[in-house]
Every structure is written in structure tokens, then in C-alpha cells.
Amino acid sequence: MRKKKGPALVEVTADGFLAGEDVAVAIIVSHTDATNGRARAVLDLNQLPPAPGGRRDVLLLGRISGTTHIEALS
């Protein structure tokens, strides 16, 4: 009988948010570049884990510009 592994928890904290603000937590699954200032990512929904409540969002974050785009996936 194989022993079940417990969760391997890690804590991530950061300052600078507004009190009571809803903060999304995202795991990076791929990278793309911004050709001509426009970023495009193609994702396979079958490779993404289910999300609580069934809603999955994608976040595009420019590491230099700080530009963010959040979009709900169908």
C-alpha cells in the first residue's frame, strides 16, 4: 500500500495592495513575446487545472512595462 503524500505548501506574500482588494494568484504555464507591442498566447484548456467555481482567468503581465490584462476563459 502506497503512503499518501501530504500537501507541499508554500506561502507567497507581497505588500502594496489596497486593503480588502481581491488579489488573483496565478501560476505561469508559458511565456510569449509582444511583437509590435501586442501579446498573444494560445492555451490548451485541457492542460489547465479546474478552478474553484468553474471560472478560469488568464493573466498577461509585461515584466518590463508592468502592463496587465486579465481575461476570463470560456
Side-chain angles (χ1 to χ4, degrees):
M1 186 177 193
R2 184 174 268 180
K3 190 174 182 178
K4 224 180 195 183
K5 285 186 178 180
L9 303 177
V10 62
E11 180 179 329
V12 179
T13 60
D15 295 318
F17 298 98
L18 298 174
E21 179 178 10
D22 184 35
V23 177
V25 177
I27 303 296
I28 306 298
V29 296
S30 68
H31 289 87
T32 189
D33 63 359
T35 306
N36 298 319
R38 181 179 197 90
R40 177 178 179 263
V42 178
L43 303 168
D44 181 351
L45 293 177
N46 294 324
Q47 292 182 334
L48 302 177
R55 177 181 169 163
R56 293 188 279 192
D57 296 327
V58 64
L59 167 70
L60 300 180
L61 171 65
R63 290 184 163 198
I64 296 171
S65 67
T67 301
T68 57
H69 173 83
I70 300 174
E71 186 173 318
L73 300 175
S74 330

